[in-house]
Amino acid sequence: MTCVDFRDYRDADRAACLALFDANCPAFFAPNERDDYEHWLSDASERGYQLACMDEVVVGAFGLRADTSAAAALNWIMISPDHQGRGIGGAMMARVIDEARAARIGTVHIAASQHSAPFFARFGAREIRQTPDGWGLGMHRVDMVLDGPAT
């Protein structure tokens, strides 16, 4: 597996994160989502957003934010297409699960697309709802839950 370092998002990372989004669009994100992501980044440092880095280069990002004392949402998880298939996604999900356990979070909510849902299913996430064109034309929203990280 590739050696990945994790660190908290800083405002200076905005351009790197937007480039990461752009590299994943339109394969994993609908183009109309960029404005939402850019707005979300304006206070991402307060939302627990984290970056996956290799040799100090941002290659992935994700956020895990508690919704309630027992549930959290996984936000804006993405990996550079140039680094997919190297175990970075698995390392990010292991970190999500470890953080959920440490915070005693029992359920992690994931809003995926039909393209990313199989990735989350590998870690035990199950689909609870699908909304055709929910993210944009041809990009279906797949709501998933990952139960039991706190156990």
Side-chain angles (χ1 to χ4, degrees):
M1 180 174 134
T2 304
C3 183
V4 180
D5 296 312
F6 292 97
R7 68 171 175 79
D8 292 336
Y9 172 86
R10 300 182 293 251
D11 290 337
D13 297 315
R14 184 180 191 81
C17 287
L18 289 171
L20 192 60
F21 178 92
D22 292 342
N24 278 283
C25 188
F28 294 100
F29 295 99
N32 60 287
E33 293 181 271
R34 192 180 198 278
D35 287 343
D36 292 338
Y37 183 56
E38 190 168 6
H39 177 72
W40 191 88
L41 285 174
S42 53
D43 65 349
S45 59
E46 297 170 22
R47 297 179 190 226
Y49 207 46
Q50 295 183 46
L51 304 180
C53 301
M54 292 177 53
D55 298 323
E56 300 182 31
V57 174
V58 175
V59 296
F62 69 95
L64 181 66
R65 182 161 176 115
D67 291 335
T68 67
S69 61
L74 181 58
N75 301 117
W76 295 108
I77 183 170
M78 58 190 83
I79 302 165
S80 164
D82 294 338
H83 292 84
Q84 290 176 4
R86 297 184 188 185
I88 296 166
M92 289 169 51
M93 287 302 294
R95 190 165 175 99
V96 165
I97 292 167
D98 288 347
E99 288 183 9
R101 280 189 183 127
R104 303 176 89 54
I105 300 293
T107 302
V108 175
H109 297 272
I110 304 167
S113 72
Q114 76 271 26
H115 304 296
S116 60
F119 168 78
F120 298 113
R122 290 193 343 231
F123 298 92
R126 61 184 171 78
E127 181 179 326
I128 57 171
R129 176 178 40 258
Q130 189 170 132
T131 306
D133 300 326
W135 297 121
L137 187 61
M139 188 69 70
H140 311 315
R141 179 179 174 143
V142 180
D143 291 298
M144 306 178 82
V145 293
L146 178 60
D147 290 316
T151 58

